[in-house]
Amino acid sequence: MSIRTTLPAAALLVAMFGASSAFADEAAAKKWIDSEFQPSTLSKDEQMKEMKWFAKAAEPFKGMEINVLSEGIPTHTYEAEVLAKAFEEITGIKVNHQILGEGEVVQAVQTQMQTNRNLYDGYVNDSDLIGTHSRLQSAINLTDWMAGEGKDVTNPMLDLDDFMGKSFTTGPDGKLWQLPDQQFANLYWFRKDWFDRPDLKAKFKAKYGYELGVPVNWSAYEDIAEFFTNDVKEIDGVRVYGHMDYGKRAPDLGWRMTDAWLSMAGEADVGIPNGRPVDEWGIRMEKGSCNPVGASVSRGGGANSPAAVYAVRKWDEWLRQYAPPGAADLDFYQSLPALAQGNVAQQIFWYSAFTATMVQPKDKGNNTVDAAGKPLWRMAPSPHGPYWKEGSQRGYQDAGSWTLFNSTPVDRRKAAWLYAQFVVSKTVDVKKSQVGLTFIRDSTVRHKSFTERAPNLGGLIEFYRSPDRVAWTPTGVNVPDYPKLAQLFWQNIGDVNSGAFTPQQAMDRLAEQMDQVMARMQAVDESNNVYHGCGPRLNPKSDPSKWLSKDHAPWAKLDNEKPKGETIAYDELIKRWTENQ
C-alpha cells in the first residue's frame, strides 16, 4: 500500500475517532444535565454549551489523573462523590478529590509552599490565606493566569462578577489569587419557638426590663444565656441551656478566635472587609501599606488590648456557666451538630455551613424541627460587644477557594483549573448549593428554587440576598503568614480553658509570640525578599498608654463593659433584610 493511500486513511481514522469521542462526551454531558444538574440558572441549551466547552478544552489532558484537596463539609463531599465522577465522564480527566480536616488542609498547603513539592494539583483553601498568598507568591495569581498561560483553559462563561466573595480573594495588589468554591457565615442561632412563648417572654421582661428577642449586644446575649440556664432550666421535660460553644485544645479552637471573635467584641478598628489599621487578629498595618507593624499594644496592635482580653474572658465564662456539661471538651466538628439534640436556646458563634444538618427531619435525630420538617430555629446577625463601633466587621465569613501553586506542573495545573471551574460553573452551582447550602454566586441565591425553599432554611436565603452579607468577612491582608500565626492562637487559648492562664496572661503571651514570629518574617524578607517587600516591619516597643485610645484601636478599657441589654424582634430584623434585597 502506498503512502499516498495510507495518509488519507489514517486521517479518516483520526477524524472518525475524534467524532466518536466528541459524541461520547456530548452524550455524557446530556445525561448529567438531564439527571443531576437541575435546576440551574442556565437553560439546558446553555448548560450543554458550557459542558461542550469543558470537553473541548480538556482534550489535551484526556486520560490524566489529578489530585485535589478540601476540608470535610457537605459541599465538598458532593463534589468528591458526584461532580468528580461527572467531570471524568465529560472530560476524560480522573480527579481524586480527597477530603481531610481543615487543619490538615492548611498543613498540606504550608508544606507545598515551603518545599515546592507538588503534593496536590489544586486546593480548596480558605481565603483567610489571602495575605499569605499575595506576599509569598507561591500561589498562582489567577488574574494574570487567566489572561496568559491559563487562557486556553479558562471558561468564557465563568462570569467572575457573579461571585459574591470575589473581594475576599483579591490581594492588596488588586489581583485575584483564589476562586471561591463555597461560603458560609458565622451567625447567631436561636430557638424561635422558645423565644416566642408568651410565658417565657413575660418572665424575661419582668427580670431584665426589656423584651426577649434577638440580642443586639453581648449584654443581652449573656442575660438570655443566664435566663434559660438558671431560670427556665427545663422545657418539655428536657434540661435546657442558654449557650453552646466548644473549648477542646485543638487547631479549631484557634479558628474559634481568629474567625472574627475579637472584632465581634469590638477589638478592631472600623472598616469593611477588615479593620484598618488594626484588624480582628490584633495586627496593625497602616492604611496604604503592606507591612504589618505589630500585634501587641506596645507596638500599636490590639491582640492583648482590653477588648481582646474581654472577648476571651466572655468566651471562657459563658462556656463554663451556660453551656451543656462537657462542651468545654468538644471540638468544632462535635459541638455544632450537637445543637440537633434540641436542648440549647441560642448560640452566638454558629456556622451556616451546618444548615443542611439542622434542617434534617426528626426521624434522623434532629430535635430542632417540627413534625412537618419546618425549623423551630432561626439565624440572625451576630450580636456585638461593648467595644464595637458602627461600620466595623460584624462577624466572620468562610470563603473556601480554589488555589493553584507554581510548584504544580503546568499541564496538571491546567487540568486542576478545569475541574475547579467545573465545580463552580453555572451549570452545576444551583444543584450543588441545594445540597451544601454554601452559596458563592449571586445568581444562584436568587434562583426561584431558593425563593421556594427559603421558609425551610431559617433565614439563610434572606441573609445572603441582603446587603448585610458583605459585613461578615474572612481574615484579611493584615495577616502576613496565616499558617505560622494561626497555630499560636489555639495553644494560648487552650491554656485559658485548662485554667493554667488568665485571659490577660494568655493574650499577653500570644501578642508577644506573634511579634516574635513576625520579627523572623521581617528578617527573611529584608535579607532574601521572601515576602516580596511586604513582610512585617515592626514598630519599636513603647508604653502601651501611648497607643490606647477612645478614638481608635487599640481601644482603652471601658469603665462599663456591660451596658444595658438590647434586643430586636426577629420579624423586624427579617423585614430589614427583605426590604433591602
Side-chain angles (χ1 to χ4, degrees), residues 260-342:
W261 181 245
L262 303 187
S263 64
M264 288 168 63
E267 170 274 330
D269 271 305
V270 171
I272 298 293
N274 307 90
R276 292 290 291 272
V278 179
D279 75 351
E280 71 274 22
W281 286 46
I283 297 174
R284 184 180 194 89
M285 187 171 79
E286 303 298 341
K287 294 179 181 178
S289 169
C290 64
N291 303 114
V293 297
S296 61
V297 175
S298 62
R299 299 183 194 271
N304 60 334
S305 66
V309 173
Y310 164 83
V312 174
R313 187 175 76 248
K314 285 302 169 186
W315 162 78
D316 185 50
E317 288 177 0
W318 295 344
L319 182 61
R320 296 177 186 283
Q321 296 175 15
Y322 307 126
D329 297 322
L330 300 180
D331 64 18
F332 164 80
Y333 297 100
Q334 296 166 325
S335 71
L336 294 170
L339 284 179
Q341 296 176 21

XYZ file of all heavy atoms in Angstrom, residues 260-342:
617
model
N -12.947 36.163 63.628
C -13.580 37.450 63.933
C -14.167 37.566 65.333
O -14.888 38.523 65.613
C -14.657 37.785 62.889
N -13.855 36.617 66.250
C -14.411 36.736 67.605
C -13.951 38.028 68.276
O -14.743 38.718 68.932
C -14.007 35.531 68.436
C -14.538 35.548 69.841
C -13.818 35.634 70.990
C -15.912 35.467 70.242
N -14.656 35.610 72.089
C -15.947 35.513 71.660
C -17.120 35.374 69.549
C -17.140 35.459 72.395
C -18.309 35.322 70.281
C -18.308 35.364 71.683
N -12.678 38.377 68.114
C -12.185 39.588 68.760
C -12.851 40.833 68.192
O -13.179 41.767 68.926
C -10.663 39.691 68.616
C -9.823 38.529 69.158
C -8.332 38.869 69.085
C -10.222 38.151 70.571
N -13.074 40.857 66.880
C -13.709 42.038 66.280
C -15.205 42.088 66.598
O -15.788 43.171 66.639
C -13.480 42.082 64.768
O -14.098 41.004 64.124
N -15.831 40.944 66.832
C -17.229 40.947 67.272
C -17.352 41.631 68.634
O -18.349 42.289 68.927
C -17.774 39.519 67.333
C -18.015 38.891 65.965
S -18.317 37.108 66.051
C -19.839 37.040 66.999
N -16.316 41.481 69.461
C -16.294 42.177 70.752
C -16.009 43.658 70.573
O -16.330 44.479 71.438
C -15.244 41.551 71.661
N -15.371 44.007 69.442
C -15.037 45.394 69.156
C -13.563 45.701 69.235
O -13.171 46.865 69.314
N -12.718 44.663 69.173
C -11.264 44.862 69.310
C -10.659 45.649 68.152
O -9.693 46.399 68.334
C -10.582 43.486 69.446
C -9.082 43.487 69.367
C -8.550 43.421 67.939
O -9.243 42.831 67.078
O -7.471 43.982 67.689
N -11.207 45.489 66.932
C -10.577 46.048 65.731
C -11.014 47.486 65.457
O -11.966 48.006 66.043
C -10.911 45.175 64.526
N -10.311 48.109 64.525
C -10.724 49.420 64.029
C -11.945 49.282 63.130
O -12.291 48.184 62.666
C -9.582 50.058 63.224
C -8.637 50.877 64.087
O -9.123 51.779 64.797
O -7.419 50.617 64.057
N -12.578 50.411 62.861
C -13.681 50.457 61.897
C -13.133 50.122 60.518
O -12.007 50.499 60.167
C -14.327 51.855 61.903
C -15.325 52.004 60.755
C -15.000 52.113 63.251
N -13.918 49.401 59.719
C -13.506 49.091 58.352
C -14.097 47.795 57.858
O -14.237 46.836 58.606
N -14.501 47.790 56.605
C -15.000 46.603 55.919
C -14.140 46.420 54.672
O -13.912 47.385 53.947
C -16.492 46.761 55.517
C -17.367 46.929 56.760
C -16.974 45.567 54.696
C -17.439 45.707 57.642
N -13.609 45.233 54.375
C -13.932 43.951 54.994
C -13.241 43.685 56.323
O -13.652 42.811 57.066
C -13.486 42.927 53.939
C -12.373 43.612 53.209
C -12.759 45.064 53.168
N -12.171 44.414 56.630
C -11.457 44.207 57.885
C -11.029 45.553 58.445
O -10.880 46.526 57.707
C -10.213 43.323 57.669
C -10.511 42.022 56.961
O -10.465 41.973 55.726
N -10.833 40.984 57.709
N -10.839 45.607 59.759
C -10.419 46.844 60.388
C -9.040 47.290 59.927
O -8.156 46.465 59.752
N -8.881 48.569 59.720
C -7.565 49.152 59.418
C -7.431 50.431 60.224
O -8.375 51.202 60.288
C -7.438 49.471 57.912
C -7.382 48.274 57.012
C -6.095 47.469 57.118
N -4.935 48.172 56.587
C -4.561 48.131 55.303
N -5.251 47.425 54.419
N -3.471 48.783 54.915
N -6.277 50.625 60.856
C -5.071 49.809 60.730
C -5.046 48.520 61.547
O -4.279 47.625 61.243
C -3.960 50.766 61.173
C -4.629 51.765 62.043
C -6.016 51.931 61.523
N -5.876 48.405 62.615
C -5.860 47.196 63.448
C -6.995 46.271 63.031
O -8.160 46.690 62.984
C -5.971 47.546 64.944
C -5.969 46.268 65.786
C -4.820 48.454 65.372
N -6.653 45.011 62.748
C -7.657 44.057 62.270
C -8.130 43.143 63.396
O -7.797 43.334 64.569
C -7.112 43.248 61.092
C -6.097 42.184 61.516
O -5.669 42.173 62.693
O -5.724 41.345 60.675
N -8.920 42.117 63.026
C -9.532 41.222 64.015
C -8.556 40.237 64.646
O -8.910 39.541 65.599
C -10.713 40.474 63.390
C -10.365 39.414 62.371
C -10.204 39.937 60.959
O -9.947 41.158 60.784
O -10.336 39.145 60.005
N -7.351 40.139 64.132
C -6.312 39.340 64.798
C -5.514 40.204 65.775
O -4.648 39.699 66.485
C -5.351 38.751 63.761
C -5.881 37.616 62.957
C -7.103 37.529 62.349
C -5.208 36.387 62.645
N -7.231 36.349 61.678
C -6.073 35.621 61.836
C -3.960 35.879 62.953
C -5.739 34.366 61.340
C -3.604 34.620 62.465
C -4.491 33.877 61.674
N -5.768 41.500 65.751
C -4.989 42.420 66.573
C -3.728 42.906 65.891
O -2.887 43.560 66.514
N -3.576 42.613 64.605
C -2.372 43.013 63.867
C -2.572 44.410 63.271
O -3.588 44.677 62.629
C -2.042 42.000 62.757
C -1.720 40.630 63.380
C -0.876 42.489 61.906
C -1.517 39.529 62.367
N -1.597 45.243 63.483
C -1.662 46.608 62.962
C -0.915 46.712 61.637
O 0.234 46.276 61.514
C -1.051 47.596 63.964
C -1.179 49.051 63.537
C -0.554 50.002 64.546
N -0.970 51.382 64.272
C -2.050 51.959 64.776
N -2.816 51.283 65.630
N -2.369 53.193 64.455
N -1.564 47.290 60.637
C -0.935 47.594 59.356
C -1.546 48.894 58.858
O -2.762 48.972 58.645
C -1.153 46.461 58.337
C -0.381 46.658 57.040
S -0.434 45.193 55.971
C -2.073 45.374 55.233
N -0.724 49.886 58.698
C -1.233 51.217 58.352
C -1.891 51.216 56.972
O -1.514 50.454 56.081
C -0.091 52.242 58.382
C 0.648 52.338 59.706
C -0.221 52.770 60.876
O -1.314 53.347 60.637
O 0.177 52.537 62.032
N -2.859 52.078 56.806
C -3.536 52.201 55.522
C -2.529 52.614 54.453
O -1.673 53.458 54.677
C -4.661 53.241 55.622
C -5.795 52.816 56.540
C -6.879 53.876 56.635
C -7.993 53.430 57.580
N -9.043 54.462 57.718
N -2.644 51.973 53.290
C -1.732 52.274 52.201
C -0.430 51.505 52.259
O 0.415 51.644 51.376
N -0.257 50.684 53.307
C 0.970 49.902 53.461
C 0.647 48.414 53.342
O -0.499 47.989 53.497
C 1.595 50.175 54.841
O 2.646 49.263 55.125
N 1.678 47.609 53.060
C 1.517 46.149 53.064
C 2.393 45.520 54.141
O 2.600 44.315 54.149
C 1.845 45.559 51.698
S 3.574 45.782 51.187
N 2.894 46.351 55.067
C 3.833 45.888 56.097
C 3.212 45.934 57.484
O 3.047 47.019 58.052
C 5.099 46.737 56.097
C 5.809 46.763 54.760
O 5.878 47.806 54.112
N 6.325 45.628 54.331
N 2.848 44.794 58.068
C 2.350 44.778 59.451
C 3.422 45.307 60.406
O 4.619 45.060 60.214
C 2.067 43.300 59.711
C 1.900 42.691 58.352
C 2.832 43.453 57.461
N 2.995 46.019 61.457
C 3.965 46.636 62.367
C 3.890 46.084 63.785
O 4.656 46.508 64.654
C 3.791 48.170 62.406
C 4.066 48.765 61.033
C 2.393 48.549 62.895
N 2.991 45.134 64.042
C 2.949 44.528 65.362
C 1.565 44.074 65.767
O 0.560 44.514 65.200
N 1.519 43.175 66.773
C 0.265 42.677 67.320
C 0.044 43.133 68.754
O -1.092 43.266 69.193
C 0.232 41.145 67.253
N 1.113 43.364 69.503
C 0.973 43.765 70.902
C 0.640 45.250 70.998
O 0.989 46.042 70.107
C 2.262 43.460 71.667
O 3.347 44.181 71.119
N -0.044 45.611 72.071
C -0.419 47.014 72.263
C 0.821 47.895 72.313
O 0.805 49.038 71.837
C -1.260 47.171 73.547
C -1.551 48.645 73.823
C -2.577 46.401 73.429
N 1.911 47.375 72.827
C 3.141 48.170 72.919
C 3.708 48.536 71.554
O 4.566 49.413 71.440
C 4.201 47.421 73.732
O 4.550 46.198 73.099
N 3.225 47.872 70.499
C 3.644 48.209 69.130
C 2.485 48.797 68.317
O 2.589 48.964 67.106
C 4.196 46.980 68.415
C 5.426 46.352 69.079
C 5.948 45.187 68.250
N 6.897 44.358 68.973
C 8.211 44.548 69.019
N 8.742 45.572 68.370
N 8.996 43.725 69.706
N 1.367 49.060 68.974
C 0.217 49.637 68.286
C -0.821 48.634 67.867
O -1.829 48.998 67.241
N -0.618 47.346 68.189
C -1.587 46.317 67.850
C -2.670 46.177 68.906
O -2.736 46.956 69.862
N -3.517 45.157 68.725
C -4.639 45.000 69.654
C -4.825 43.607 70.209
O -5.830 43.325 70.857
N -3.866 42.697 69.967
C -4.065 41.301 70.362
C -4.188 41.118 71.867
O -4.844 40.189 72.332
C -2.925 40.438 69.817
N -3.557 41.983 72.659
C -3.682 41.911 74.116
C -4.325 43.171 74.687
O -4.103 43.540 75.843
C -2.321 41.653 74.770
C -1.292 42.735 74.458
O -1.377 43.401 73.428
N -0.306 42.901 75.341
N -5.140 43.819 73.872
C -5.841 45.029 74.305
C -6.999 44.675 75.229
O -7.422 43.512 75.298
C -6.377 45.781 73.082
O -7.377 45.009 72.443
N -7.553 45.645 75.959
C -8.695 45.361 76.829
C -9.864 44.686 76.096
O -10.506 43.791 76.651
C -9.083 46.745 77.347
C -7.795 47.506 77.352
C -7.063 47.034 76.130
N -10.123 45.088 74.862
C -11.227 44.490 74.112
C -10.958 43.029 73.784
O -11.863 42.186 73.844
C -11.484 45.276 72.824
N -9.716 42.708 73.418
C -9.360 41.320 73.107
C -9.435 40.445 74.350
O -9.945 39.313 74.311
C -7.953 41.266 72.510
N -8.951 40.944 75.465
C -8.999 40.199 76.724
C -10.452 39.990 77.149
O -10.836 38.899 77.598
C -8.205 40.945 77.818
C -8.394 40.278 79.184
C -6.726 40.993 77.448
N -11.274 41.019 76.990
C -12.707 40.909 77.284
C -13.345 39.804 76.457
O -14.123 38.989 76.970
C -13.388 42.253 77.007
C -14.890 42.187 76.912
C -15.684 42.220 78.054
C -15.514 42.082 75.669
C -17.068 42.154 77.969
C -16.896 42.026 75.573
C -17.671 42.053 76.720
O -19.046 41.969 76.626
N -13.009 39.746 75.156
C -13.590 38.739 74.259
C -13.264 37.322 74.725
O -14.125 36.444 74.760
C -13.100 38.960 72.832
N -12.009 37.096 75.093
C -11.596 35.766 75.542
C -12.212 35.439 76.894
O -12.623 34.300 77.147
C -10.056 35.672 75.602
C -9.609 34.348 76.195
C -9.473 35.845 74.202
N -12.300 36.426 77.759
C -12.910 36.186 79.072
C -14.374 35.773 78.942
O -14.837 34.849 79.632
C -12.790 37.444 79.935
C -13.243 37.205 81.384
C -13.001 38.415 82.270
N -13.977 39.475 82.042
C -13.715 40.657 81.502
N -12.478 40.941 81.111
N -14.669 41.550 81.340
N -15.115 36.428 78.045
C -16.528 36.087 77.870
C -16.682 34.698 77.254
O -17.580 33.941 77.621
C -17.231 37.150 77.013
C -17.496 38.435 77.783
C -18.346 38.165 79.011
C -18.420 39.340 79.960
N -19.134 39.004 81.201
N -15.825 34.368 76.290
C -15.859 33.004 75.737
C -15.704 31.982 76.850
O -16.453 31.007 76.926
C -14.745 32.840 74.698
C -14.426 31.406 74.408
C -15.139 30.550 73.613
C -13.335 30.636 74.949
N -14.562 29.299 73.615
C -13.457 29.321 74.425
C -12.270 30.930 75.804
C -12.544 28.307 74.746
C -11.368 29.926 76.116
C -11.510 28.636 75.591
N -14.740 32.197 77.729
C -14.458 31.249 78.808
C -15.591 31.205 79.833
O -16.045 30.125 80.233
C -13.144 31.661 79.483
C -12.692 30.670 80.536
O -12.647 29.458 80.233
O -12.378 31.096 81.669
N -16.080 32.361 80.253
C -17.144 32.419 81.254
C -18.420 31.754 80.756
O -19.045 30.949 81.459
C -17.439 33.875 81.632
C -16.364 34.535 82.473
C -16.691 36.001 82.745
O -17.752 36.485 82.282
O -15.881 36.672 83.427
N -18.825 32.100 79.545
C -20.083 31.559 79.025
C -20.006 30.060 78.818
O -20.967 29.335 79.063
C -20.437 32.261 77.721
C -20.734 33.725 77.872
C -21.007 34.388 79.028
C -20.783 34.702 76.839
N -21.231 35.719 78.782
C -21.094 35.949 77.446
C -20.592 34.667 75.459
C -21.228 37.122 76.712
C -20.711 35.840 74.731
C -21.033 37.051 75.341
N -18.855 29.581 78.359
C -18.668 28.152 78.141
C -18.823 27.391 79.456
O -19.436 26.318 79.505
C -17.278 27.908 77.542
C -16.875 26.479 77.196
C -17.813 25.883 76.151
C -15.432 26.447 76.684
N -18.300 27.944 80.533
C -18.345 27.265 81.834
C -19.688 27.415 82.534
O -20.151 26.495 83.222
C -17.235 27.802 82.740
C -15.843 27.511 82.210
C -14.756 28.122 83.096
N -13.444 27.943 82.498
C -12.757 26.804 82.504
N -13.275 25.735 83.086
N -11.574 26.726 81.933
N -20.320 28.571 82.357
C -21.516 28.864 83.148
C -22.831 28.495 82.478
O -23.802 28.172 83.172
C -21.539 30.360 83.499
C -20.390 30.801 84.394
C -20.382 32.305 84.630
O -21.370 32.997 84.366
N -19.255 32.827 85.111
N -22.882 28.527 81.147
C -24.182 28.421 80.480
C -24.299 27.312 79.439
O -25.384 27.069 78.919
C -24.535 29.764 79.825
C -24.458 30.947 80.767
C -23.672 32.065 80.453
C -25.154 30.942 81.969
C -23.592 33.150 81.314
C -25.089 32.032 82.840
C -24.300 33.127 82.506
O -24.228 34.190 83.368
N -23.201 26.644 79.099
C -23.233 25.589 78.079
C -23.494 24.230 78.722
O -23.258 24.039 79.925
C -21.917 25.570 77.309
N -23.961 23.251 77.954
C -24.187 21.907 78.495
C -22.894 21.301 79.046
O -21.797 21.635 78.573
C -24.689 21.121 77.281
C -25.237 22.144 76.356
C -24.385 23.360 76.546
N -23.004 20.415 80.027
C -21.809 19.762 80.575
C -21.008 19.070 79.469
O -21.574 18.445 78.570
C -22.397 18.733 81.556
C -23.742 19.270 81.913
C -24.240 19.970 80.688
N -19.702 19.210 79.535
C -18.847 18.555 78.544
C -18.530 19.393 77.332
O -17.684 19.019 76.513
N -19.189 20.559 77.174
C -18.960 21.393 75.988
C -17.511 21.854 75.904
O -16.951 21.981 74.811
C -19.892 22.596 75.996
N -16.892 22.098 77.049
C -15.505 22.572 77.056
C -14.530 21.546 76.502
O -13.402 21.881 76.154
C -15.094 22.967 78.470
N -14.975 20.280 76.413
C -14.114 19.213 75.896
C -14.404 18.871 74.435
O -13.781 17.975 73.866
C -14.281 17.945 76.745
C -13.851 18.167 78.185
O -12.851 18.876 78.402
O -14.529 17.654 79.094
N -15.347 19.576 73.830
C -15.710 19.309 72.442
C -14.860 20.147 71.498
O -14.348 21.202 71.864
C -17.190 19.628 72.199
C -18.217 18.855 73.025
C -19.629 19.310 72.650
C -18.069 17.360 72.835
N -14.729 19.670 70.244
C -14.096 20.480 69.212
C -15.163 21.030 68.277
O -16.365 20.797 68.460
C -13.015 19.689 68.466
C -13.570 18.501 67.678
O -14.795 18.458 67.402
O -12.781 17.600 67.332
N -14.721 21.754 67.276
C -15.610 22.396 66.302
C -16.583 21.399 65.669
O -17.792 21.629 65.608
C -14.741 23.056 65.236
C -15.448 23.437 63.966
C -16.203 24.576 63.887
C -15.313 22.658 62.813
C -16.842 24.946 62.718
C -15.940 23.023 61.639
C -16.710 24.168 61.587
N -16.065 20.259 65.229
C -16.877 19.304 64.490
C -17.892 18.598 65.389
O -18.943 18.165 64.931
C -15.974 18.272 63.799
C -15.057 18.905 62.779
C -13.725 19.176 63.084
C -15.524 19.282 61.526
C -12.884 19.775 62.155
C -14.698 19.891 60.595
C -13.382 20.133 60.914
O -12.556 20.750 59.996
N -17.599 18.495 66.681
C -18.508 17.836 67.613
C -19.583 18.778 68.143
O -20.701 18.349 68.401
C -17.706 17.279 68.794
C -16.714 16.187 68.424
C -15.728 15.909 69.548
O -15.327 16.812 70.273
N -15.324 14.661 69.695
N -19.243 20.044 68.309
C -20.145 20.956 69.008
C -21.327 21.425 68.169
O -22.452 21.514 68.660
C -19.377 22.180 69.501
O -19.002 23.007 68.422
N -21.060 21.730 66.905
C -22.126 22.326 66.104
C -23.271 21.352 65.815
O -24.434 21.701 65.987
C -21.530 22.913 64.820
C -20.602 24.105 65.099
C -19.847 24.510 63.848
C -21.385 25.293 65.626
N -22.995 20.107 65.418
C -24.116 19.179 65.224
C -24.845 18.848 66.534
O -25.994 18.401 66.501
C -23.434 17.925 64.648
C -22.153 18.408 64.073
C -21.723 19.525 64.964
N -24.184 19.079 67.680
C -24.810 18.783 68.969
C -26.070 19.609 69.192
O -26.926 19.233 70.004
C -23.810 19.008 70.101
N -26.217 20.721 68.486
C -27.428 21.532 68.611
C -28.677 20.748 68.242
O -29.770 21.037 68.733
C -27.333 22.765 67.704
C -26.449 23.932 68.153
C -26.485 25.020 67.102
C -26.901 24.482 69.488
N -28.507 19.761 67.373
C -29.662 18.979 66.916
C -30.325 18.210 68.060
O -31.464 17.746 67.916
C -29.245 18.016 65.811
N -29.653 18.066 69.195
C -30.267 17.398 70.344
C -31.459 18.179 70.872
O -32.329 17.612 71.526
C -29.227 17.209 71.453
C -28.082 16.279 71.069
C -27.030 16.188 72.156
O -27.304 16.488 73.316
N -25.821 15.789 71.780
N -31.466 19.489 70.614
C -32.637 20.281 70.967
C -32.677 20.792 72.390
O -33.758 21.125 72.893
